[in-house]
């Protein structure tokens, strides 16, 4: 006979149900729902504790748990194999809670208060790890680079099963005094490697060493084994963020890692590289010999200095695309001398190309996509960021790609309403970014009549859009009103409380909303958003709300953000508002009362994906 759930509280019916049935029901709930029902009675609390102990995969990346919450979730779990954590509120003392011997995958995000001890602890407590991903602040703020290097080395010696390693330190590269990744001895099992930051000479030596290890492993395995399993030895995916990308590194990659499948290189130079110490066509030509590459990303960031790849032109890109015909994903940024002839070569040479992204190009125009019907028709994701020469003609051409799911045209200011008419025909499009486009309410009306199942829509900075356009977008027969879950309406001078009311009434799936710098949004909008769950029909609660620089909000709107309103909110941006200036102590109390809510006062984008390392959370 099945065991019956017993408890000392007022469980009522719950206590009379067989334990197996209760556990079966609880097993169908997500983690948040489990934690919500636990306080109902002691019987459910006991059953939830048992249900939590059998979960094998836990993702806590959407909010920042305290060590107390984390302990309640993980305390009795012996089945956990994969764990993802937002560590913004955790420090070294929490390692004892989440570092478990049976873990195979561990992802630690926003390690704001950890020291390098975390690497040592992982080596001792998680010997069976196969995947480790960790992002931290600058190590020398908590301990010296030497201590950090030694701790990472110890971790690699203890985790001999590692197949994927990602270590990100959010710092500006300053020179040889930073981390010496080249001293590390990587396990033979490593297939995926991401390091940030690393110097160009360290990166070159690391690649050469990885190639030597691959050759030695292949020789030990015998002459026939490499033929049977060509990708079984050495790195298959390499991602590096360094100070400078040069020919020497790409030549080393081509000669030492011929089996590489994914390559992602980003540099952040502090000054303009000299003409004789930079990436050239020669480096791209050598990379063309990596015939197995399916994913390639080469970008030069402007974060520290507005430099570009001045010595690369169409010839280098043509040689690269001709050699790497198996590419399925291409991302290029900072190529100031490459024209349409270079970019279009990828569309014609790589017949399986699914993802194509270009960032800040000088000479990419509509000509790149002019005869797209004759090129690849496999595109699923296209991102053209800050392409000043791209107009609605490109959008019309891309409408021929019937499998397109993601279209990002942020910063393409010449995109107009006629482009939205073409986009509305894409029946698989789920993500659309039109930030800064020259579109009007008429364009939104066309999009609203279309068949796009858009889940994420960005209209940031589209200054000709008004409340009327949102009404036409959402109050028609199109399906977007039923699929929209993430909406960015930042920097819209024509948005007011009326538009927010329409969103709250119609969009039942909306969970993420950004209305930053919308000056005509007032307390009335907060009232209607906080009361969304009271509208008729089933709807999802808001998870993330960005109110940064909404100057129309008053100090009184704080009480509209407190319980019982916004019960499902996980992230709130209130920087540069009057309600923060006069109610900061209240927000501290609110954060303490609602530990699942992250309150950002620094102007970060939703979720603090970038910039978290630069500030403290309320």
């Amino acid at each position: 006979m099945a065991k019956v759930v017993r408890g000392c509280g007022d469980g009522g019916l719950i206590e009379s149900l067989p334990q197996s049935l209760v556990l079966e029901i609880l097993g169908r709930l997500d983690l948040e729902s489990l934690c919500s029902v636990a306080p109902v009675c002691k019987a459910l609390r006991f059953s939830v504790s048992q249900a939590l102990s059998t979960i094998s995969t836990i993702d806590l990346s959407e909010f920042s748990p305290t060590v107390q919450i984390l302990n309640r979730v993980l305390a009795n779990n012996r089945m956990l194999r994969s764990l993802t954590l937002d560590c913004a509120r955790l420090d070294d003392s929490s390692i004892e809670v989440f570092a478990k011997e049976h873990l195979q995958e561990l992802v630690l995000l926003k390690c704001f208060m950890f020291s390098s001890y975390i690497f040592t602890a992982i080596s001792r407590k998680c010997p069976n790890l196969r995947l480790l991903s960790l992002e931290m602040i600058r190590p020398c703020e908590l301990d010296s680079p030497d201590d950090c290097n030694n701790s990472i080395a110890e971790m690699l010696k203890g985790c001999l099963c590692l197949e994927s390693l990602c270590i990100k330190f959010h710092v500006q590269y300053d020179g040889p005094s930073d981390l010496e990744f080249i001293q590390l001895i990587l396990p033979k099992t490593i297939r995926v490697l991401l390091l940030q930051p690393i110097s160009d000479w360290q990166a070159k030596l690391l690649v050469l060493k990885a190639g030597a290890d691959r050759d030695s492993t292949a020789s030990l395995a015998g002459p026939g084994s490499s033929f049977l399993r060509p990708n079984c030895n050495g790195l298959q995916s390499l991602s590096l963020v360094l100070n400078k990308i040069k020919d020497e590194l790409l030549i080393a990659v081509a000669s030492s890692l011929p089996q590489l499948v994914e390559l992602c290189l980003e540099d952040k130079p502090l000054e303009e590289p000299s003409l004789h110490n930079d990436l050239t066509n020669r480096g791209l030509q050598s990379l063309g010999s990596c015939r197995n590459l399916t994913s390639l990303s080469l970008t030069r960031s402007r974060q520290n200095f507005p430099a570009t790849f001045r010595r690369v032109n169409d010839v280098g890109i043509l040689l690269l695309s001709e050699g790497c015909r198996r590419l399925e994903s291409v991302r290029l940024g900072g190529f100031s001398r490459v024209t349409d002839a270079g970019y279009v070569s990828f569309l014609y040479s790589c017949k399986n190309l699914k993802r194509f992204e270009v960032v800040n190009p000088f000479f990419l125009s509509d000509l790149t996509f002019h005869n797209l019907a004759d090129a690849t028709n496999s595109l699923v994701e296209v991102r053209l960021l800050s392409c000043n020469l791209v107009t609605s003609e490109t959008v019309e051409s891309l409408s021929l790609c019937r499998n397109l799911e993601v279209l990002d045209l942020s910063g393409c200011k010449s995109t107009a309403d006629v482009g939205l008419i073409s986009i509305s025909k894409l029946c698989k499009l789920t993500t659309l970014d039109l930030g800064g486009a020259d579109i009007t309410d008429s364009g939104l009306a066309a999009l609203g009549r279309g068949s796009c199942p858009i889940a994420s829509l960005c209209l940031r900075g589209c200054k000709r859009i008004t409340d009327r356009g949102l009404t036409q977008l959402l109050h028609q027969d199109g399906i977007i009103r039923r699929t929209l879950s993430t909406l960015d309406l930042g920097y819209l001078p024509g948005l007011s409380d009326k538009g927010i009311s329409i969103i709250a009434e119609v969009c039942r799936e909306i969970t993420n909303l950004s209305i930053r710098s919308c000056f005509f949004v007032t307390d009335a909008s907060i009232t209607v958003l906080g009361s969304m769950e009271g509208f008729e029909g089933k709807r999802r609660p808001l998870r993330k709300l960005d109110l940064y620089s909404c100057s129309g909000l008053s100090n009184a709107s704080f009480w509209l953000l407190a319980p019982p309103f916004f019960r499902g909110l996980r992230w709130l941006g209130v920087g540069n508002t009057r309600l923060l200036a006069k109610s900061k102590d209240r927000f501290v109390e609110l954060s303490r009362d609602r530990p699942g809510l992250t309150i950002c006062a620094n102007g970060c984008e939703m979720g603090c994906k970038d910039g978290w390392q630069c500030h403290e959370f309320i």
Side-chain angles (χ1 to χ4, degrees):
M1 185 175 179
K3 291 178 65 178
V4 175
V5 178
R6 296 294 180 189
C8 300
D10 299 326
L13 178 62
I14 296 297
E15 292 186 341
S16 65
L17 293 175
Q19 184 183 29
S20 58
L21 176 60
V22 175
L23 291 178
E24 173 68 20
I25 295 172
L26 294 178
R28 298 173 182 270
L29 301 180
D30 58 25
L31 182 61
E32 182 176 352
S33 299
L34 282 174
C35 295
S36 298
V37 302
V40 172
C41 65
K42 291 185 178 181
L44 271 178
R45 189 180 310 150
F46 174 76
S47 297
V48 167
S49 177
Q50 285 192 307
L52 289 174
S53 67
T54 62
I55 297 178
S56 61
T57 300
I58 294 180
D59 186 344
L60 295 176
S61 60
E62 288 301 312
F63 77 101
S64 307
T66 62
V67 65
Q68 291 80 11
I69 293 176
L70 193 62
N71 188 48
R72 292 174 187 172
V73 173
L74 302 179
N76 300 315
N77 194 311
R78 300 290 182 271
M79 304 293 292
L80 191 62
R81 297 294 180 267
S82 176
L83 177 63
T84 301
L85 283 179
D86 182 327
C87 301
R89 295 178 177 174
L90 302 176
D91 56 22
D92 287 348
S93 64
S94 65
I95 298 175
E96 299 293 329
V97 177
F98 66 77
K100 298 178 179 292
E101 181 179 1
H102 38 78
L103 271 178
Q104 295 182 1
E105 298 181 1
L106 181 59
V107 179
L108 303 177
L109 308 172
K110 304 177 186 176
C111 295
F112 192 80
M113 296 180 286
F114 282 90
S115 70
S116 61
Y117 168 71
I118 190 173
F119 296 105
T120 303
I122 287 174
S123 70
R124 297 171 182 172
K125 297 179 178 296
C126 307
N128 299 311
L129 275 184
R130 296 183 179 275
L131 181 151
L132 174 63
S133 178
L134 188 148
E135 59 177 9
M136 297 179 67
I137 60 172
R138 187 182 184 92
C140 59
E141 293 181 6
L142 297 174
D143 43 22
S144 69
D146 287 339
D147 291 338
C148 194
N149 284 324
N150 294 334
S151 297
I152 296 176
E154 183 176 348
M155 183 267 296
L156 293 176
K157 291 179 182 178
C159 301
L160 298 178
C161 300
L162 269 182
E163 297 177 2
S164 177
L165 176 63
C166 169
I167 300 178
K168 292 183 180 180
F169 286 102
H170 289 267
V171 301
Q172 174 177 293
Y173 178 77
D174 292 326
S177 62
D178 279 336
L179 295 172
E180 300 290 338
F181 282 124
I182 188 58
Q183 297 178 1
L184 304 180
I185 301 177
L186 298 175
K188 304 284 186 184
T189 53
I190 288 288
R191 300 291 176 264
V192 178
L193 180 64
L194 186 153
L195 298 176
Q196 170 185 328
I198 186 171
S199 67
D200 57 315
W201 66 270
Q202 286 182 13
K204 176 184 174 181
L205 293 179
L206 183 70
V207 167
L208 293 174
K209 187 176 184 301
D213 292 340
R214 177 189 64 85
D215 293 338
S216 63
T217 302
S219 62
L220 290 174
S225 59
S226 61
F227 173 76
L228 295 173
R229 299 179 62 191
N231 292 325
C232 65
N233 298 316
L235 288 175
Q236 297 180 24
S237 175
L238 178 63
S239 300
L240 302 174
V241 178
L242 57 163
N243 63 319
K244 190 185 306 179
I245 299 174
K246 301 193 296 187
D247 285 347
E248 288 79 0
L249 176 59
L250 295 193
I251 293 172
V253 168
S255 61
S256 301
L257 303 174
Q259 302 295 341
L260 204 63
V261 176
E262 298 181 2
L263 177 63
C264 178
L265 300 178
E266 178 184 5
D267 67 2
K268 300 179 179 181
L270 297 175
E271 58 185 7
E272 186 73 60
S274 65
L275 291 176
H276 302 289
N277 196 28
D278 200 3
L279 178 65
T280 70
N281 293 339
R282 175 169 166 261
L284 293 185
Q285 182 179 12
S286 65
L287 193 60
S289 63
C290 296
R291 308 293 183 182
N292 294 306
L293 272 182
T294 60
S295 179
L296 175 64
S297 176
L298 295 173
T299 58
R300 172 156 285 174
S301 171
R302 298 181 179 183
Q303 178 178 329
N304 301 323
F305 188 86
T308 63
F309 294 113
R310 295 181 298 166
R311 298 194 63 191
V312 174
N313 56 31
D314 291 338
V315 175
I317 298 296
L318 287 167
L319 293 172
L320 176 62
S321 61
E322 282 295 315
C324 300
R325 289 177 170 267
R326 297 178 61 183
L327 282 172
E328 299 177 7
S329 176
V330 173
R331 183 176 191 268
L332 301 174
F335 290 86
S336 58
R337 296 187 60 196
V338 177
T339 69
D340 293 309
Y343 294 117
V344 77
S345 65
F346 285 108
L347 301 178
Y348 281 87
S349 298
C350 307
K351 297 301 182 181
N352 294 320
L353 191 65
K354 294 179 174 61
R355 297 173 181 83
F356 184 63
E357 179 175 353
V358 183
V359 183
N360 293 320
F362 284 38
F363 300 114
L364 183 143
S365 71
D366 297 330
L367 291 176
T368 297
F369 306 95
H370 182 60
N371 291 318
L372 200 57
D374 299 331
T376 178
N377 197 29
S378 58
L379 285 172
V380 174
E381 179 177 327
V382 175
R383 297 181 184 271
L384 307 175
L385 310 185
S386 299
C387 301
N388 295 326
L389 302 180
V390 166
T391 71
S392 296
E393 290 187 22
T394 290
V395 182
E396 293 183 63
S397 298
L398 289 172
S399 66
L400 299 175
C401 302
R402 296 303 181 184
N403 294 317
L404 202 62
E405 298 176 7
V406 177
L407 179 58
D408 188 344
L409 299 172
S410 58
C412 298
K413 300 180 180 180
S414 297
T415 304
D417 289 342
V418 65
L420 291 187
I421 297 174
S422 302
I423 290 174
S424 65
K425 303 174 184 177
L426 296 171
C427 60
K428 294 184 179 181
L429 191 67
T430 59
T431 300
L432 177 61
D433 191 332
L434 297 168
D438 187 32
I439 57 177
T440 69
D441 294 342
S442 299
L444 288 189
L447 188 62
R449 290 191 297 268
S451 56
C452 303
I454 296 175
S456 177
L457 176 63
C458 177
L459 300 174
R460 174 177 293 197
C462 298
K463 297 183 178 181
R464 300 176 68 186
I465 291 177
T466 67
D467 294 334
R468 180 172 174 268
L470 290 176
T471 302
Q472 294 175 327
L473 173 68
L474 301 173
H475 271 170
Q476 301 193 53
D477 296 330
I479 66 173
I480 187 172
R481 59 186 294 178
R482 300 191 298 271
T483 60
L484 195 60
S485 61
T486 298
L487 181 59
D488 189 341
L489 300 175
Y491 304 94
L492 297 188
L495 179 66
S496 70
D497 295 332
K498 181 179 178 181
I500 301 300
S501 297
I502 294 169
I503 295 168
E505 177 185 352
V506 175
C507 299
R508 301 185 182 278
E509 297 295 318
I510 195 80
T511 56
N512 304 320
L513 178 63
S514 173
I515 49 177
R516 60 167 46 203
S517 296
C518 292
F519 305 125
F520 295 105
V521 169
T522 70
D523 296 352
S525 291
I526 306 302
T527 302
V528 72
L529 290 173
S531 306
M532 282 175 59
E533 295 180 14
F535 284 82
E536 293 184 4
K538 186 178 180 181
R539 62 172 58 246
R540 295 181 182 272
L542 272 180
R543 295 298 189 189
K544 298 175 183 176
L545 178 61
D546 188 357
L547 302 175
Y548 177 79
S549 198
C550 287
S551 57
L553 300 179
S554 72
N555 184 40
S557 61
F558 169 81
W559 301 111
L560 303 173
L561 296 168
F565 306 106
F566 294 102
R567 285 180 290 182
L569 201 61
R570 291 289 172 261
W571 185 90
L572 176 63
V574 291
N576 199 30
T577 58
R578 280 185 285 180
L579 60 93
L580 176 67
K582 298 182 179 181
S583 308
K584 187 168 184 180
D585 292 339
R586 293 176 181 175
F587 276 109
V588 172
E589 293 179 10
L590 177 62
S591 180
R592 185 164 50 245
D593 294 339
R594 297 178 61 172
L597 175 63
T598 298
I599 302 175
C600 175
N602 288 65
C604 295
E605 298 294 341
M606 282 195 294
C608 296
K609 299 300 184 183
D610 296 314
W612 62 268
Q613 67 276 12
C614 302
H615 67 85
E616 295 183 4
F617 298 90
I618 292 178

